[in-house]
Every structure is written in C-alpha cells, then in structure tokens.
Amino acid sequence: MYRFLLTPRWWVINVFTLLAIPVCLFMGSWQLSRFETRVDTHNQQQDDASRERKAAARPLSDLLPVTAKTSGERATATGRYDTTHQLLVPDRRLDGRDGFYVLTLLRVDADGDAGGGKGVAEGKDGAGAKDGARAKALPVVRGWLPGDADDPAAAAKVPAPPSGEVTVTGALQASEHQGGDGVSAAGGLPRGQLGMISAASLVNLVPYQVYDAWVTSSQAPGALKPVPPTAAEGTGLDIKAFQNLGYTGEWFVFAGFVIFMWFRLFRREAETARDLALGITPPEPTAPTAPGADRTPDDAERTRSPSATA
C-alpha cells in the first residue's frame, strides 16, 4: 500500500522535506544565537556604563575611530565653541517627550588633545593643508530641550555657548545615518537646523574639517538636559534584536509546517491507495454542460420572447 513512496513524485517530496527541515532548524537556531548575542552585549554595556561613570575620561584621540567598544566611553576635548554655527536637531525624544538637541561645534587644535587626523571628514573646499592641519571641529550635543525647534519661544530658551577655551567631557558617539532612531531623513529643514548628526551632513555647513564622531556632554547648562548616550549599532536590545527573536519563531514554525504538510500528503495518498486496494475508485469528474444544453425544443419554444414570435 505504501509503494507510492517509491514513485518519482514522492522522491522529490521526500528529498525536499529532508532538506527543508534541517535548513529551517539551522536558520532558527542562528537567529536565536543572534538574539542571545544581543542580550549578552546589552548586559555587557550596562556593566561597562556603570564602570565608565566611575572611570576617568580619556582624550578623544585615544578613542578614535569610534567602534562598538569605544562608543559610549567618556571622552574629553579642549577647544573653543564656534558660536556662529550652533544648530538645533529637531524631533528628538527624551523621557517620552518631544524636543530637540542643541549642537555646537567645538574647534580643537590638530596637535591638541583631540589628536591626529583620525576620524576626520574633509571640508567643503577640500580642506587645505594649512587650515585643515590647524583646526578641526568636534560636534558636541550640549543638551536637550522640550518643544518644537521651529517655535521661536522654545529656541529662545537655548543658552549661548561659553566663550573662550573650554574642556568638554561626555560620551563618545558614532556618526548617525539615515534609518537611525530619531534621525530625520526629510529635507528642507530651516536654516540653523540639522536632521542627522554626522560629518557628512555637517561638511557642507561649516568651512572646516569635522570629526566623524560626536560627543554628548555630561553637563548641560541652563534649561538643557543631558542627552544619554545610545548603544552602538548592532548591539543592545533594540528593535532589531526582537526581530531576530521573531525570525527564530518563524523558522521553527516553517519546520513544523513542512512536517505537517508531509504527513497530510502521505495520509491522503495512503487513503487513496487503500481505497484502490478495496476496489473503491474515486468518481470521475463530469464535463460541465453548456447553459441550456439540457433543455428540450418545447422548453426553448416556451422561453422564446414575444418579440421573436411576432
């Protein structure tokens, strides 16, 4: 009764099932391992953040370029704020409230504690050797304010950056990119606003080089609130981590579905073979008849319209 398993059709079904099940289980296990890795990195980041709050800040040059390991570490840089290029970063949430970041560029010396030319983006004019060697700028998020960046009343609450030489200490962050949390991809922002904190977006706004990194200051003046550092991309319990967990369930469901369909096809084929062994044959499908084909000439005469008989 089970000889049908040796037919070419069932050879294909069996081979597909034997290959599909381990593939689904492997992919599900792989997605689960990625989620577990995210959990481990999240726990590691919590421990690192606790240690970093107690650890002394390190010079910016020691932490560049920004990696998953150096992201969030405390960095220090000394320079002068460029008061003519203070920018507002709209549509940023903090503690469940809408608001905006206040970003100011800190001009640092090339030979100062910012160090070297690591992580630097060229300026709009190609950043000539003399100007580019003398000064670069580090984007510093001085804090966050609630409200709309387009509202003059909210913008008026932004404290002016201090003049003279200052030393900034804060958490080092990698440049943002489109698709990141809070990043505004829409163009046409008003003058004085910035949608994405990155060297690529700042290079056309300032006449000097910009570090491919930024710092969120640990001390916010006036009405500003400090912006907490974010986890490096690809780490922590973000939405992608829970997507990995969802994909894990999907792959295991696919494996169960393959098994279910194999047993369903097998049972139907076995029942058909058993019926044939008992002499029970399935009814042959009848050809559909055209409408009105089974009507007699008298029926056709009675249904003829009066206009046709006139």
Side-chain angles (χ1 to χ4, degrees):
M1 185 172 60
Y2 301 118
R3 290 181 179 177
F4 61 86
L5 292 174
L6 301 177
T7 60
R9 173 172 171 266
W10 271 93
W11 270 107
V12 174
I13 293 175
N14 292 334
V15 170
F16 173 79
T17 302
L18 292 175
L19 293 177
I21 292 175
V23 168
C24 292
L25 294 178
F26 170 78
M27 293 300 296
S29 301
W30 177 65
Q31 292 288 352
L32 181 60
S33 67
R34 294 190 64 186
F35 174 75
E36 291 174 345
T37 301
R38 294 292 188 95
V39 174
D40 293 339
T41 56
H42 173 73
N43 295 333
Q44 183 66 34
Q45 286 170 355
Q46 297 299 317
D47 296 338
D48 292 344
S50 178
R51 288 194 299 267
E52 288 298 331
R53 282 192 292 267
K54 301 176 182 179
R58 298 165 58 189
L60 180 65
S61 59
D62 295 346
L63 301 175
L64 294 176
V66 185
T67 63
K69 183 178 180 180
T70 61
S71 177
E73 291 195 18
R74 298 184 68 208
T76 180
T78 300
R80 296 174 179 271
Y81 278 122
D82 182 359
T83 58
T84 61
H85 289 97
Q86 181 160 269
L87 301 167
L88 305 182
V89 186
D91 302 327
R92 300 302 175 108
R93 295 181 62 85
L94 184 64
D95 298 331
R97 302 173 63 189
D98 293 329
F100 55 91
Y101 292 167
V102 177
L103 183 145
T104 311
L105 294 165
L106 180 71
R107 301 288 297 273
V108 298
D109 293 333
D111 299 329
D113 58 355
K118 296 183 289 184
V120 180
E122 292 293 336
K124 181 178 179 181
D125 57 355
K130 294 183 178 180
D131 293 339
R134 284 198 303 267
K136 299 184 291 288
L138 174 67
V140 177
V141 172
R142 298 171 56 224
W144 173 90
L145 274 177
D148 190 349
D150 295 328
D151 185 5
K157 299 179 181 178
V158 177
S163 59
E165 188 174 79
V166 296
T167 298
V168 175
T169 301
L172 183 67
Q173 300 281 267
S175 289
E176 296 180 332
H177 60 86
Q178 291 187 1
D181 293 339
V183 175
S184 175
L189 290 176
R191 183 179 178 85
Q193 294 188 19
L194 182 71
M196 179 171 61
I197 306 174
S198 70
S201 60
L202 286 166
V203 72
N204 293 322
L205 300 179
V206 295
Y208 41 76
Q209 295 178 321
V210 179
Y211 280 94
D212 192 16
W214 57 283
V215 167
T216 170
S217 178
S218 57
Q219 295 181 348
L224 297 177
K225 291 186 177 181
V227 176
T230 58
E233 184 179 3
T235 63
L237 293 178
D238 54 8
I239 185 63
K240 292 184 179 180
F242 291 100
Q243 285 178 349
N244 293 140
L245 187 61
Y247 294 151
T248 299
E250 288 182 0
W251 282 112
F252 288 150
V253 169
F254 291 159
F257 180 74
V258 171
I259 297 173
F260 167 76
M261 289 303 299
W262 187 91
F263 275 106
R264 182 176 180 180
L265 293 173
F266 172 80
R267 186 179 64 177
R268 187 176 65 179
E269 199 82 10
E271 290 175 351
T272 301
R274 183 183 58 189
D275 292 342
L276 292 175
L278 296 175
I280 303 174
T281 58
E284 295 183 359
T286 58
T289 57
D294 57 344
R295 292 196 293 180
T296 63
D298 293 339
D299 294 335
E301 185 67 25
R302 284 195 296 269
T303 57
R304 188 180 301 173
S305 62
S307 60
T309 58

